[in-house]
Amino acid sequence: MKMPQSNKFLPHEINLIRRYLLWCFKTTREDLDRIDRYFTQALVDRRFLDILLKNKENSSEYQKKIADFQSYMDIKEKNALGKKYLNLKKKTLQPEYWYLQARLAAIEQVIVEFLGKRELKSIQGLYENEMTRRILEAREHA
């Protein structure tokens, strides 16, 4: 059953619906990103490692840093695999991960039904801007 378009709601109802859907999108996407980011980071980390290994620096301190980074990568990837997959050999997803994927798809569908495709793009953009802002304002590694 398709829900009514936004023109059947009062302006304050549209605002309430939009804010709720924005909250649903943000919280679900954050939960998925907490898992997925490790897989994209692994791709980037492997490239970093390739470049670092080509460096002509051969000191024991440098080699220790490389080995530490490689250990860090391995641990991070192993932990991520356990969060995403119930059975790694069969690539069976964890129920929580599968649910988050399905929930995000449902949220995006409902945003389009209630608010339109343009609003979905807007909400996705707001989310990306917020995540970027958080990274740029983070002080923990400074």
Side-chain angles (χ1 to χ4, degrees), residues 126-139:
L126 287 169
Y127 176 82
E128 291 304 322
N129 290 341
E130 173 62 14
M131 294 303 107
T132 300
R133 183 195 62 77
R134 288 183 190 183
I135 291 167
L136 294 174
E137 291 180 358
R139 304 279 185 247

Side-chain angles (χ1 to χ4, degrees), residues 95-106:
E96 176 68 10
Y97 184 82
W98 177 85
Y99 170 75
L100 288 170
Q101 281 189 317
R103 178 176 165 84
L104 184 62

Side-chain angles (χ1 to χ4, degrees), residues 14-111:
I14 293 170
N15 289 337
L16 291 171
I17 290 168
R18 183 180 183 279
R19 285 196 318 252
Y20 177 62
L21 288 169
L22 178 63
W23 177 82
C24 290
F25 180 89
K26 175 195 165 292
T27 56
T28 304
R29 180 73 188 269
E30 281 178 332
D31 289 345
L32 259 177
D33 282 356
R34 276 189 202 99
I35 298 167
D36 287 339
R37 70 180 179 213
Y38 292 108
F39 293 91
T40 55
Q41 288 172 6
L43 296 171
V44 174
D45 286 348
R46 281 190 212 109
R47 183 62 185 131
F48 288 156
L49 184 61
D50 288 344
I51 293 168
L52 292 169
L53 288 170
K54 291 177 183 172
N55 192 307
K56 295 181 181 171
E57 177 62 43
N58 224 5
S59 70
S60 61
E61 294 89 8
Y62 184 81
Q63 295 305 317
K64 168 95 171 81
K65 291 285 188 188
I66 298 290
D68 290 347
F69 182 60
Q70 210 160 7
S71 294
Y72 164 78
M73 287 172 46
D74 293 343
I75 291 167
K76 186 166 72 167
E77 194 166 358
K78 182 181 175 190
N79 290 339
L81 289 169
K83 289 179 183 182
K84 187 171 182 175
Y85 296 106
L86 187 62
N87 181 328
L88 189 56
K89 289 182 182 180
K90 293 182 181 179
K91 296 283 187 185
T92 306
L93 296 174
Q94 288 281 4
E96 176 68 10
Y97 184 82
W98 177 85
Y99 170 75
L100 288 170
Q101 281 189 317
R103 178 176 165 84
L104 184 62
I107 291 166
E108 290 176 340
Q109 180 179 336
V110 171
I111 289 170

